Amino acid sequence: MRLGFSPEEEAFRAQAAAWLAAELDGPFADVRHITSLTASPRRRRDWEKRLGEAGWSCVGWPRAYGGRDATLAEQVIFAEEYARAGAPPRLNHIGIELAGPTILAFGTEEQKARFLPAIARGEKIWCQGYSEPGAGSDLANIRTRAWRDGDDWVIEGQKIWTSLAQFSDWIFVIARTGEGSNGPKGLSFLLIPVDQRGVTVRPIHQITGEAEFNETFFDGARTDAANILGAPGDGWKVAMGLLGFERGVSTLAQQMNFRNELDAVIAAARANGEAKNPLIRQRLAKAEIGLKIMRYGALRMLTDAESGRLNPAALTYKIQWASWRRDLGELAMDVLGVAGETVAGHDYAFPMLPNLFLYSRADTIYGGTNEIQRNIIAERALGLPREPRGDLK
Amino acid sequence: MDFAFTDEQAMIAETAHAFFAENATSPRTRTAMAATGKDAGIDRALWTAFCTELGLSGVGIPEAMGGAGLGMVERAILAEEGGRHTAALPFLASLGLAAPAILAGGSAEQRSRLLPGLASGERIASFAVASADGAAGAALGDGTLTGTALHVPHGAVADLFVVVATNGVAIVERGAPGLAVTPLTSMDQTRPYARLDFDSVAAEALADPRAATNAAFVTGWLAIAADALGGAQACLDRTVAYAQERVQFGRAIGSFQAYKHRLADMMVEIEQARSAVYWAACAIDEGSDEAMFAVHAAKAFACDTYSHCAGEMIQLHGGIGFTWEHDAHLFFKRARSNASLLGAPDWHREQVAGLAGLDRAA
């Protein structure tokens, strides 16, 4: 058992850090320290392209598709350095962390060659079409339909919570293609261009005042027959494989962002004297401890993953960080007091810490609510009986 | 990345797991709990077997002094497995507190004279912080000690004591004239306390008192954290088993969401406690700058986790969990003892706050 990274891995860290510092001190200084997910989309698209040119966009992907063949450890290290450098949120995070890995796992050679390099070069931005108004946690209950019409799929229906659809070129959708099927059967996983007449994107304003996500309507939208991942009817399997990616490596990168957020809370507490309040100090210490524990928990899971073991402890990770961050948001407001309640100017756009308080209420919902996570832990890790369902006989 | 047990560590864990599961049974533990005097709270046969058959009792003591060598990770593994069964053993007192103090603060002669007996289990030691009742504190002078030490873990069964006084750290033998050992009725009967009264009792100073005290605390905090981890895991495992067999309203109670969510929350905390304990153990072994931060974090987090899980164990068992007959109270009481002993979670978090510089001015 060993705590740190190897000298080779540390050399990789130094290389990544040097490149990031040069770019973010230089041509991309204007996007440094952006934390909003919707700010400066044009410049962040330029940034995606710059990352792609230099081979830093999708470091874990095979070189053949625009990646760098980085090991799991190197992927974590890059993500840490990315956040440490204050680089902006990835405009294409769905493409990089979800669409790409899923295409890599389930796509044909043609699909990989067509879609992956375009993501890695920062040319095509992706969003996801999973949830529907009637299918949130009960994801298999979706009603969006698709059927074959000559050389095309035709899509009819509605998706919701499609993050960053307003900036996206492509969307992946699970749609019902099996006539009369229900539940996880008869679903297909389709890749659909956003910029077409049959697709309408309508922003949804969220509690922060931003509109990161959208309702997306499909009204006779079309995509080429070849743009299906897996066989017709395999959609659930593909979609669940993808959720695995979402809960896996991609969440590890967040910790350095969390570090930045906690540092900001501590700085605020020192500045206004709240750090001398023992009740606040206890909570700050708790947050420090929680963050460190998450780091070593992640190292534990990654060590297992590198050697091909699947540790059920990994199932606890989403709930760990989501709850930790929600608590940090509340602590931030308790530190700021009433000063956190107002914002300069006329726009409803709060600075980092009050915004964290509002935004972190999404963490315990998206990607599977804390309640769904608890079911998963109880059933898959602890082997408890499944909750009886009302709709499946 | 290599943050997982080595093959050798995994083997030690497996061996210790099997040893405690087979031997540290509830009936044996309860016999030890009921015993008084020199056998209060100790399963002597188990301690002898642990020290001689398992060959791991001298963990952390160099092989040249009769120990098994190895480091903090291995010590944590043993403490965790003992904690999983609330084993009635003086592991914390003798090997988690006293031995590290002697190893770090004793002279070469003191180490080679005292440590082999502790490693072999022939003798048991404990660790005491002494003060003079209501006065300035117990003082060491002229080779004698006067004062009182309360709450000495497994004090009634110990053969010698490492005693922290205001001006030094000393070894006191059990039979020394002027020493009165009073067993205390303790909530956790698997690790009972004793009171020591020193009246000009012969005391042999350790060479480096500061090193002795630091080593005892750091190792003791880690051993308690690891014990808490093992105990919390046992609370979860036993409650999961109960949830699968107990039927109410025509269903196993483990199929109710209100029940399974609480078990899931226990697992979420336990996995974090596991990361904390092994991070701290590794950080100490590697001499990392983070070691003190890590050990305070582990003691605070793991003790909170154990208290929560032991409380949930009782609640989720319903009435049977409140009985003397069920083992739940053994865990509940050990969890409380772990939290109180050597600094409560709040105190450890204050140390973390200090180390992180949280209240330094902007």
Side-chain angles (χ1 to χ4, degrees):
Chain A
M1 183 170 263
R2 196 164 55 79
L3 287 181
F5 291 94
S6 70
E8 295 74 32
E9 288 162 347
E10 289 300 339
F12 176 87
R13 183 189 295 281
Q15 188 195 355
W19 185 84
L20 286 161
E23 294 293 322
L24 293 163
D25 279 340
F28 287 94
D30 57 321
V31 298
R32 198 172 206 173
H33 301 304
I34 284 179
T35 55
S36 160
L37 296 167
T38 53
S40 309
R42 279 222 333 249
R43 281 295 285 156
R44 280 163 62 213
R45 205 180 249 268
D46 294 342
W47 171 242
E48 293 289 346
K49 287 185 177 150
R50 179 67 192 123
L51 284 164
E53 272 169 25
W56 290 111
S57 183
C58 303
V59 293
W61 294 9
R63 276 184 204 278
Y65 304 121
R68 177 177 284 259
D69 275 325
T71 63
L72 218 44
E74 288 169 343
Q75 292 173 52
V76 172
I77 288 168
F78 181 74
E80 285 183 340
E81 292 310 314
Y82 187 89
R84 196 199 306 274
R90 297 294 296 268
L91 190 65
N92 200 15
H93 75 97
I94 299 288
I96 296 154
E97 292 163 12
L98 300 179
T102 306
I103 293 168
L104 207 51
F106 295 98
T108 62
E109 260 326 302
E110 291 74 21
Q111 288 169 331
K112 290 183 204 174
R114 177 174 176 198
F115 292 111
L116 295 177
I119 295 172
R121 285 197 302 264
E123 287 164 7
K124 298 293 177 196
I125 308 289
W126 283 73
C127 60
Q128 65 156 311
Y130 269 6
S131 299
E132 297 181 8
S137 290
D138 184 7
L139 190 57
N141 192 29
I142 62 160
R143 282 194 284 265
T144 293
R145 292 186 310 124
W147 61 89
R148 279 294 292 273
D149 179 32
D151 289 338
D152 285 345
W153 289 97
V154 181
I155 305 100
E156 195 81 41
Q158 179 190 354
K159 293 290 175 180
I160 196 167
W161 320 130
T162 38
S163 293
L164 304 179
Q166 68 269 47
F167 309 126
S168 294
D169 306 297
W170 284 81
I171 183 169
F172 55 81
V173 161
I174 35 173
R176 197 161 291 288
T177 51
E179 201 69 48
S181 65
N182 65 12
K185 296 195 189 79
L187 299 172
S188 295
F189 196 102
L190 299 174
L191 315 177
I192 304 167
V194 174
D195 185 15
Q196 58 168 302
R197 240 184 26 198
V199 177
T200 308
V201 173
R202 189 193 295 160
I204 302 171
H205 285 265
Q206 54 206 46
I207 62 177
T208 56
E210 275 189 300
E212 172 202 351
F213 41 59
N214 303 270
E215 290 179 288
T216 305
F217 298 89
F218 299 91
D219 181 12
R222 286 180 171 263
T223 195
D224 193 280
N227 291 337
I228 181 170
L229 222 50
D234 279 354
W236 187 252
K237 188 181 81 186
V238 176
M240 288 302 107
L242 189 150
L243 277 181
F245 294 113
E246 186 168 15
R247 289 176 190 139
V249 175
S250 67
T251 57
L252 291 160
Q254 302 157 309
Q255 288 187 27
M256 200 57 70
N257 284 317
F258 293 168
R259 178 74 259 171
N260 295 341
E261 289 170 351
L262 175 54
D263 284 344
V265 176
I266 291 170
R270 281 180 180 158
N272 72 4
E274 276 298 314
K276 300 217 178 290
N277 172 348
L279 298 177
I280 293 289
R281 197 167 59 233
Q282 278 283 317
R283 289 164 66 194
L284 289 170
K286 232 178 209 174
E288 280 280 355
I289 290 169
L291 183 60
K292 284 288 190 185
I293 285 176
M294 280 194 281
R295 176 174 170 74
Y296 288 100
L299 285 177
R300 221 152 52 82
M301 290 171 224
L302 279 173
T303 303
D304 285 341
E306 271 191 333
S307 52
R309 290 189 298 262
L310 193 66
N311 187 339
L315 295 174
T316 68
Y317 199 75
K318 164 86 202 310
I319 210 167
Q320 277 184 40
W321 70 256
S323 305
W324 180 89
R325 193 159 183 251
R326 179 193 59 201
D327 292 350
L328 185 69
E330 290 173 2
L331 176 55
M333 290 304 282
D334 286 340
V335 164
L336 293 173
V338 75
E341 300 276 340
T342 60
V343 60
H346 297 293
D347 288 338
Y348 195 89
F350 281 84
M352 180 186 177
L353 292 184
N355 208 50
L356 164 67
F357 165 68
L358 296 172
Y359 190 83
S360 63
R361 283 290 158 179
D363 293 343
T364 51
I365 297 171
Y366 73 75
T369 63
N370 271 15
E371 288 65 34
I372 289 289
Q373 300 296 336
R374 289 187 179 101
N375 281 356
I376 291 171
I377 292 165
E379 291 169 10
R380 295 195 206 155
L382 299 175
L384 290 163
R386 291 182 67 86
E387 183 88 3
R389 292 186 54 144
D391 59 345
L392 293 180
K393 295 283 177 254
Chain B
M1 283 180 302
D2 243 332
F3 195 45
F5 287 162
T6 62
D7 289 345
E8 191 194 8
Q9 287 164 343
M11 211 176 69
I12 290 172
E14 213 172 287
T15 309
H17 184 80
F19 173 82
F20 283 111
E22 187 179 336
N23 298 298
T25 60
S26 176
R28 285 181 64 170
T29 299
R30 284 162 183 274
T31 304
M33 284 161 56
T36 52
K38 270 293 265 178
D39 277 332
I42 178 172
D43 181 341
R44 278 202 187 265
L46 182 63
W47 184 242
T48 304
F50 176 79
C51 293
T52 54
E53 290 165 29
L54 198 60
L56 288 167
S57 72
V59 67
I61 297 176
E63 291 176 48
M65 295 162 205
L70 305 170
M72 222 38 110
V73 171
E74 290 81 4
R75 194 190 298 262
I77 289 170
L78 294 179
E80 178 184 345
E81 292 302 335
R84 196 187 287 267
H85 297 273
T86 57
L89 296 180
F91 182 82
L92 174 70
S94 200
L95 297 172
L97 290 166
I102 295 168
L103 183 62
S107 65
E109 186 279 323
Q110 286 168 325
R111 293 200 298 261
S112 56
R113 171 161 50 90
L114 297 167
L115 290 174
L118 301 186
S120 69
E122 276 164 66
R123 306 186 81 202
I124 292 168
S126 189
F127 178 82
V129 180
S131 65
D133 272 348
L140 192 58
D142 287 343
T144 65
L145 181 76
T146 294
T148 298
L150 298 165
H151 309 129
V152 180
H154 271 112
V157 304
D159 304 299
L160 74 155
F161 301 95
V162 177
V163 187
V164 180
T166 46
N167 59 342
V169 175
I171 303 289
V172 174
E173 290 285 337
R174 169 64 173 252
L179 170 61
V181 178
T182 312
L184 302 173
T185 302
S186 305
M187 188 186 275
D188 175 5
Q189 296 167 293
T190 65
R191 193 202 284 145
Y193 294 108
R195 171 193 168 112
L196 309 184
D197 290 289
F198 307 96
D199 181 9
S200 297
V201 63
E204 172 192 344
L206 285 185
D208 185 344
R210 180 180 290 262
T213 313
N214 286 347
F217 282 135
V218 167
T219 312
W221 291 328
L222 184 80
I224 291 174
D227 181 280
L229 169 63
Q233 182 70 56
C235 292
L236 175 60
D237 292 344
R238 291 178 185 220
T239 312
V240 164
Y242 182 71
Q244 282 163 328
E245 74 195 25
R246 171 79 169 161
V247 173
Q248 295 278 270
F249 305 103
R251 289 159 62 177
I253 58 175
S255 71
F256 289 101
Q257 211 169 58
Y259 203 102
K260 64 215 284 194
H261 280 196
R262 292 171 72 159
L263 291 170
D265 283 340
M266 287 162 75
M267 178 170 171
V268 172
E269 279 190 34
I270 288 166
E271 289 305 329
Q272 293 178 87
R274 191 179 312 285
S275 301
V277 166
Y278 286 102
W279 162 42
C282 229
I284 298 167
D285 278 341
E286 292 181 4
S288 153
D289 293 344
E290 285 187 335
M292 287 310 288
F293 185 115
V295 75
H296 287 301
K299 169 74 163 80
F301 197 97
C303 286
D304 276 348
T305 297
Y306 195 7
S307 295
H308 171 234
C309 291
E312 290 291 80
M313 182 188 198
I314 293 178
Q315 179 66 27
L316 295 174
H317 276 76
I320 188 72
F322 186 69
T323 65
W324 192 270
E325 173 195 343
H326 197 276
D327 282 348
H329 69 103
L330 306 191
F331 294 97
F332 188 68
K333 291 165 181 174
R334 176 71 69 86
R336 185 59 257 178
S337 162
N338 279 353
S340 299
L341 190 59
L342 304 185
D346 284 349
W347 182 83
H348 284 280
R349 273 190 293 275
E350 279 294 305
Q351 309 314 304
V352 166
L355 289 167
L358 292 184
D359 60 353
R360 275 201 300 270

